[in-house]
Amino acid sequence: MGKPVDWEAVAQEGVNHLREYIRIDTTNPPGNEMEAARFLKGILENESISCSIFDPHPERANLLAILNGDGSKKPLILLNHMDVVAAERDKWEVDPFGGVMRDGYIYGRGALDNKGMGIAQLMAFLMLKRSPIPLSRDIIFLALADEEMGGRLGARWMLENVPHLKEAEYVLNEGGGVIVDEDGNLQYYEISNVQKVVFPIKVKASGVSGHGSIPQPHGATEKLVDALGKLLKWRPPFRVIPQVQEYFSNIAPLKWPHKVERFRNLPESLQDESFAGEFTINPIHNAMVRDTIALTVIRAGTKANIIPSEGEAILDCRLIPGISKEDFLEEMRGLIRGTGAEVEVKSDARPVPPSPLDTDLFRAITTVARRRDPNCIVAPALLPGATDSRHFRGKGIVCYDFCPFRLSQSDLLRIHGHNERLSGENLSFGIRLLYEVVEEISRP
Ligand SMILES: [Zn+2]
């Protein structure tokens, strides 16, 4: 037996790495993940772990490192992404790329999405190397580019160019988490095995251009605004898939002990307006039971006194798996009929089936979760967002979106928002949790 692991020192190491990692601005676009990949490579090589950097494009990079197992089982991929979304610097309390530590929290763009998890995976990976336990499978640490823009240069490129990845049995990726209430009390462990379908729609309109001092009816911007108003007022019908019903049946005894019965039959309960109103106040719950539409881009005009001849907007639509995209589009066309604007599909992705739950990895996560929180609920969930898991799931690999941190609803709402942060304590928790899960699933 080696000497016991000093987890506090490991956590401190993780905190230092995360602060430095956040300082590397990988806002995508343009991404610039090469610098981040070199940073991670330096840490890995310091521990004599060889790794490879793949560069699908100048200054874009993916990093892959492998700890070899005995090969009796197929690989597990610890998946994370290096790129982040833009930060509105002036709306933050601290510099989003400063790696600032305040009141025990590491602040910065990417602290949760996804550099914090990347560092938790990295530290768990290093710990496997340092205190060598025999592994039945290869453990792959994979840090990707371009997740925030769809993964063309990241997940998709790597799956096309690195055949070994397709041999993996499991992927552990971002999403889900150890859900706590605002006071930090555990509620349940959430593992996502299915995602909503990304379906971006462009709305466009054209009209006569001219001087702003002489407006004419039916200008492009007027048509666009009219159509957008109608689309944004639309509340698509509730569609409760079995997975989501099960999720709410699972968590209801904890969260709404007085209303358990109502949560056991959501399709029926949601027909009751007052129940539906209360239920959908939570934007995450709302997104789990219906298709959603978010207006994310509007473009028209360049100058105050010129009426533009064209205008367009992009709606980030996310559909409940299994619904027909054609029907959804038709519904939209019906809503904007007469406005003079048009809708078209901006990009289209193939839907991927959910990952099964009857697996050793699901059981391993449950075992580890209950070791620290006996009798806790481990709830599979539908992820309203999209992660790189969809690319791996499409290749038949079992993917679980499970972020190993304790997260409250207000933490989750900071993702892609302002003042994103992760506490050092939480990072420490995540490193150990991941380490134990990997150990559990990779024992010979
Ligand atoms: Zn992410």
Side-chain angles (χ1 to χ4, degrees):
M1 289 294 283
K3 59 176 171 30
V5 178
D6 181 354
W7 286 106
E8 220 162 286
V10 174
Q12 190 51 52
E13 213 182 317
V15 167
N16 296 342
H17 287 324
L18 178 55
R19 295 179 67 187
E20 210 176 321
Y21 193 16
I22 285 171
R23 289 184 194 121
I24 303 168
D25 183 347
T26 49
T27 301
N28 184 14
N32 271 329
E33 295 91 344
M34 182 57 87
E35 197 185 335
R38 289 205 189 102
F39 163 74
L40 296 172
K41 186 169 193 255
I43 299 170
L44 288 156
E45 287 185 343
N46 245 335
E47 313 260 343
S48 314
I49 300 170
S50 67
C51 55
S52 318
I53 289 181
F54 298 83
D55 50 346
H57 197 267
E59 293 315 311
R60 309 301 298 271
N62 298 296
L63 173 132
L64 173 107
I66 303 179
L67 288 179
N68 289 116
D70 67 18
S72 57
K73 294 177 188 159
K74 294 199 293 174
L76 162 71
I77 300 175
L78 300 175
L79 187 67
N80 61 88
H81 64 88
M82 297 179 279
D83 62 321
V84 297
V85 293
E88 295 175 300
R89 280 176 190 255
D90 55 322
K91 305 257 169 68
W92 283 58
E93 287 162 23
V94 299
D95 175 2
F97 298 99
V100 175
M101 185 101 195
R102 205 168 81 176
D103 304 329
Y105 286 89
I106 305 132
Y107 279 78
R109 178 52 90 221
L112 286 170
D113 183 14
N114 185 235
K115 288 177 170 171
M117 197 190 81
I119 293 297
Q121 291 185 342
L122 177 77
M123 293 311 299
F125 190 77
L126 296 183
M127 292 316 292
L128 289 167
K129 161 84 179 175
R130 286 179 199 171
S131 47
I133 51 167
L135 297 170
S136 59
R137 59 176 91 237
D138 287 359
I139 308 299
I140 300 177
F141 175 81
L142 182 58
L144 294 177
D146 206 27
E147 192 274 343
E148 299 291 359
M149 294 288 283
R152 188 175 62 85
L153 297 173
R156 273 169 56 193
W157 192 92
M158 288 298 279
L159 281 164
E160 274 159 30
N161 291 281
V162 184
H164 186 53
L165 292 178
K166 278 187 273 196
E167 290 161 24
E169 182 169 15
Y170 298 123
V171 165
L172 265 181
N173 188 25
E174 63 178 329
V178 183
I179 307 301
V180 298
D181 65 19
E182 295 302 327
D183 298 322
N185 304 308
L186 174 74
Q187 298 206 301
Y188 49 91
Y189 285 64
E190 180 177 306
I191 301 175
S192 161
N193 68 323
V194 57
Q195 305 182 348
K196 285 182 88 175
V197 180
V198 187
F199 193 49
I201 299 289
K202 188 189 274 185
V203 189
K204 351 178 263 187
S206 49
V208 185
S209 75
H211 198 283
S213 61
I214 312 167
Q216 302 180 55
H218 313 304
T221 45
E222 226 173 286
K223 293 178 187 168
L224 185 66
V225 168
D226 189 13
L228 290 175
K230 294 195 153 87
L231 292 171
L232 292 175
K233 256 188 233 122
W234 181 35
R235 293 286 168 270
F238 295 118
R239 294 172 208 272
V240 182
I241 58 172
Q243 174 104 32
V244 169
Q245 177 59 67
E246 198 189 322
Y247 173 78
F248 284 102
S249 299
N250 265 324
I251 68 169
L254 255 169
K255 294 194 71 151
W256 310 280
H258 306 300
K259 286 192 200 161
V260 169
E261 281 317 309
R262 305 220 70 187
F263 280 87
R264 288 221 170 102
N265 189 349
L266 272 185
E268 195 185 286
S269 301
L270 285 168
Q271 285 175 19
D272 170 359
E273 248 173 63
S274 83
F275 179 89
E278 248 176 77
F279 182 89
T280 54
I281 283 176
N282 182 319
I284 300 172
H285 294 168
N286 180 57
M288 290 173 82
V289 296
R290 58 161 39 130
D291 309 322
T292 57
I293 301 167
L295 172 58
T296 48
V297 177
I298 305 183
R299 272 188 291 253
T302 51
K303 200 164 176 293
N305 64 359
I306 300 174
I307 297 170
S309 64
E310 279 180 347
E312 62 170 44
I314 295 171
L315 298 171
D316 182 355
C317 305
R318 307 286 175 124
L319 312 188
I320 296 289
I323 93 135
S324 149
K325 290 177 178 173
E326 259 321 303
D327 290 354
F328 183 80
L329 204 57
E330 253 335 287
E331 189 74 37
M332 285 188 136
R333 289 205 173 101
L335 287 167
I336 64 165
R337 196 159 293 137
T339 60
E342 287 165 38
V343 286
E344 65 183 44
V345 179
K346 188 171 170 285
S347 66
D348 204 358
R350 244 175 348 120
V352 290
S355 290
L357 295 169
D358 181 18
T359 67
D360 286 339
L361 183 55
F362 194 87
R363 281 183 284 276
I365 297 172
T366 307
T367 302
V368 171
R370 297 208 169 131
R371 203 180 286 155
R372 57 194 66 216
D373 298 299
N375 305 320
C376 66
I377 291 166
V378 181
L382 165 71
L383 192 74
T387 69
D388 274 335
S389 293
R390 65 193 192 278
H391 305 295
F392 290 81
R393 248 176 225 142
K395 304 286 177 204
I397 301 167
V398 172
C399 301
Y400 294 142
D401 290 339
F402 176 59
C403 175
F405 301 130
R406 297 168 69 93
L407 300 166
S408 68
Q409 170 122 341
S410 58
D411 292 325
L412 290 167
L413 294 174
R414 287 171 192 253
I415 293 176
H416 290 210
H418 307 141
N419 302 314
E420 188 180 346
R421 65 182 192 180
L422 176 70
S423 72
E425 202 183 320
N426 214 348
L427 178 61
S428 168
F429 174 88
I431 296 168
R432 284 193 75 162
L433 182 65
L434 266 182
Y435 176 83
E436 287 177 35
V437 168
V438 176
E439 192 193 20
E440 185 73 25
I441 187 73
S442 309
R443 234 182 252 136

